[in-house]
Amino acid sequence: MGKTAKIKKLKKKIRKLKARLTAAQTHTHAVAPLAPKSFPDLPVIAGARFSAVKAGVKYADRLDVMLAELQPGTAIAGVFTRSATRSAPVLDCQAKLGSDPTEGAAILVNAGNSNAFTGAAGDGSVEAITNEVAKALSVPKNRVYTASTGVIGVPLPHDRILSRMGELKGALAPDGLERAAQAIRTTDTFAKGAKAEVSIGDRTVQIAGIAKGSGMIAPDMATMLVFLFTDAQVAQDDLQSMLSDLTESSFNSITVDSDTSTSDTLLLAATAASGVEVKPDHQAFRDALHGVMLDLAHQVVRDGEGATKFVEVRVTGAKSDADARTHALAIANSPLVKTAIAGEDPNWGRVVMAIGKSGAYAERDKLSIRFGEVLVAEKGWVSPEYREEDGARYMKQDELIISVDLDVGSGASSVWTCDLTHGYIQINADYRS
C-alpha cells in the first residue's frame, strides 16, 4: 500500500472515530426534546431503601448499579419479556416469583451489559451476584432479584459489581430512588420516575416507580426495565394479577422500533409497611398504579432513540379490541408512517397501507382517518373537506394523534409511539462499538 493510500485510510478511520464520538455524545448527554421538564419528587416508600454506585460495568464515571432493600412481608410480582432468547437474569427472576413474602428481599440492577446470550457464564454471574446480595443483606437467595441491561453477548464483569457491595449496602437510604433511576440508564437521555398517592379510608398509600428504556421497545412485555414500589399491603397472587392486567394497557401498548429486548423486566414490590390492605378490585388503587405505569411507559416513548414526535394511535370501530390493537400496532410500527411523521408529512396513504397489511379485518370503503381534529379521509377516499395545508400544519406539532375509525364493530385500542429519525440510526449504528 502506497503512502497516499495509507494516509487516506488513516483519515477515513479518524472520520469514523469522530462520528462515533459524536453519536456517543449525542445519546449520552443531549436530553430528548420530548423529555419532562424535571424528575418528579418521589415519595419515600416505607419498608424500602435504595442505593446506587459507579461500578464501571461499561460506562466510565457514572452511576451504573442500583440496589433496593425490601423489608420482610414484601410481596413481589413480575412480568417479563417473552423473547425466546431471554437473559439469565430474566430466567432467574421468573423462577423466583411467588417465593415466601415473610422474609426480606432485594433487587440489584446493572446497566451497560445485559448478561444475555452469555451461556453458562451468564448463569454464573447471576449466581455470584445473588449470593453476595443475600449475604450482605441477610435475605434468602431466592428473594434476590437481578436485572441487567446493555450490550448483548458480552460476559458480565460481575466482579466489578461485587467489589462495590459494601458501598451499595452502606449507601442504602429511603430517599435513594432518584439515584437508582439514574443508575439503570443506557441510551436513555433522562432518568424516568413517576408517583401517585391514594387515600384509602383515613390512611394514605404511596406508589413510586422508575424505568429505563429508549430503544429495542415493542409490546411483548415488558419492553424495558421497570421497578415499582408501594407501601400497600397486597397479597402475592392479587399483586401479580393486578400487575399482569394493567400491563396490557400501559407497557404493552407502546412501541419505539418494534424490537423486543432479551432483558425486559417489570417488578412490583408491595412492602405492606403502611398497614393498609388493598384488594385487587380496589379501583382507586388500581387507577393510581395504572397512572404510574402509563406515565413511565409514555416517558419511554418520549425518550425513544432520536425521537422528536410523541404519537398516539387510536383505532375505533374494529370488529374486536384485538383487531383494533393489531391495526394500531401496524400503524405505529410502520417505518413509512414513522418517517413521514419525522418529516412532518401528512401522508395519510401510508396509514391506509398499514391498515391493509395488518391482517385484521377492515373494509376499505368504510374507514375514516383523522390527524388530530383534521378529517383526512372517509368512506374509502380523501375527504372533500380536506386541505393538505391543514394536515401539514397539524404535523408540525410535537404531540400528535392519528385516529382511525373502521366502522365495522365496537372494538377499540390505543397505542403510543414516536417518529423514526436519523438520530435513531446514528445511535444504533454505533451502539456496540
Side-chain angles (χ1 to χ4, degrees), residues 258-299:
S258 80
D259 284 333
T260 298
S261 170
T262 58
S263 308
D264 303 336
T265 298
L266 164 59
L267 292 175
L268 167 59
T271 68
S274 69
V276 180
E277 186 176 4
V278 173
K279 297 295 186 182
D281 59 352
H282 194 288
Q283 198 58 48
F285 182 83
R286 288 178 64 92
D287 289 347
L289 178 59
H290 183 256
V292 170
M293 294 167 70
L294 193 58
D295 187 343
L296 290 171
H298 286 182
Q299 287 187 54

Side-chain angles (χ1 to χ4, degrees), residues 72-418:
T74 299
I76 297 178
V79 188
F80 306 89
T81 179
R82 290 190 285 261
S83 168
T85 55
R86 54 194 181 276
S87 68
V90 169
L91 293 170
D92 185 64
C93 283
Q94 287 179 307
K96 290 174 176 175
L97 278 186
S99 57
D100 183 3
T102 60
E103 306 244 33
I107 301 170
L108 184 140
V109 187
N110 76 269
N113 183 307
S114 71
N115 194 18
F117 208 68
T118 48
D123 297 329
S125 291
V126 171
E127 180 80 6
I129 292 169
T130 54
N131 279 338
E132 195 66 22
V133 172
K135 179 182 176 182
L137 300 185
S138 299
V139 299
K141 183 181 163 187
N142 71 340
R143 293 275 287 165
V144 177
Y145 300 83
T146 67
S148 299
T149 179
V151 68
I152 294 171
V154 177
L156 176 66
H158 61 262
D159 286 346
R160 299 179 188 178
I161 299 172
L162 301 185
S163 69
R164 296 292 190 277
M165 196 59 64
E167 186 181 350
L168 278 165
K169 179 182 178 181
L172 286 166
D175 61 353
L177 196 49
E178 181 175 353
R179 282 174 60 82
Q182 294 284 356
I184 63 176
R185 296 164 54 198
T186 51
T187 59
D188 303 55
T189 69
F190 62 90
K192 301 166 181 67
K195 63 178 180 178
E197 185 177 277
V198 191
S199 294
I200 300 178
D202 60 350
R203 307 285 291 280
T204 300
V205 166
Q206 302 288 349
I207 304 171
I210 60 173
K212 70 80 51 183
S214 182
M216 205 180 287
I217 304 294
D220 200 5
M221 201 48 244
T223 71
M224 68 208 77
L225 297 187
V226 184
F227 306 99
L228 306 169
F229 305 91
T230 178
D231 56 10
Q233 180 181 339
V234 190
Q236 183 89 45
D237 291 346
D238 292 343
L239 194 70
Q240 184 63 54
S241 175
M242 199 182 310
L243 182 66
S244 297
D245 183 34
L246 297 177
T247 293
E248 289 307 305
S249 55
S250 56
F251 299 117
N252 263 358
S253 292
I254 63 171
T255 178
V256 168
D257 49 21
S258 80
D259 284 333
T260 298
S261 170
T262 58
S263 308
D264 303 336
T265 298
L266 164 59
L267 292 175
L268 167 59
T271 68
S274 69
V276 180
E277 186 176 4
V278 173
K279 297 295 186 182
D281 59 352
H282 194 288
Q283 198 58 48
F285 182 83
R286 288 178 64 92
D287 289 347
L289 178 59
H290 183 256
V292 170
M293 294 167 70
L294 193 58
D295 187 343
L296 290 171
H298 286 182
Q299 287 187 54
V300 170
V301 175
R302 290 178 182 279
D303 201 18
E305 291 168 342
T308 65
K309 306 281 188 182
F310 178 77
V311 187
E312 180 178 355
V313 180
R314 298 177 181 172
V315 175
T316 57
K319 271 199 165 183
S320 65
D321 289 347
D323 269 12
R325 181 179 174 82
T326 298
H327 283 302
L329 287 172
I331 297 166
N333 281 326
S334 166
L336 289 177
V337 171
K338 290 162 74 72
T339 49
I341 293 169
E344 301 181 340
D345 178 10
N347 193 336
W348 56 272
R350 294 184 177 181
V351 177
V352 174
M353 172 278 299
I355 294 167
K357 75 167 186 176
S358 78
Y361 186 80
E363 292 186 25
R364 182 195 63 190
D365 295 338
K366 286 189 174 183
L367 68 87
S368 62
I369 301 169
R370 292 178 185 270
F371 291 161
E373 297 300 320
V374 180
L375 178 62
V376 176
E378 59 182 339
K379 299 177 182 178
W381 189 246
V382 64
S383 169
E385 302 173 5
Y386 178 63
R387 298 293 178 268
E388 185 78 9
E389 56 268 27
D390 294 337
R393 188 180 306 112
Y394 179 74
M395 297 300 286
K396 292 185 180 300
Q397 299 186 51
D398 292 339
E399 301 193 13
L400 304 170
I401 299 174
I402 298 174
S403 301
V404 175
D405 185 2
L406 296 163
D407 195 26
V408 294
S410 58
S413 181
S414 290
V415 302
W416 293 269
T417 190
C418 58

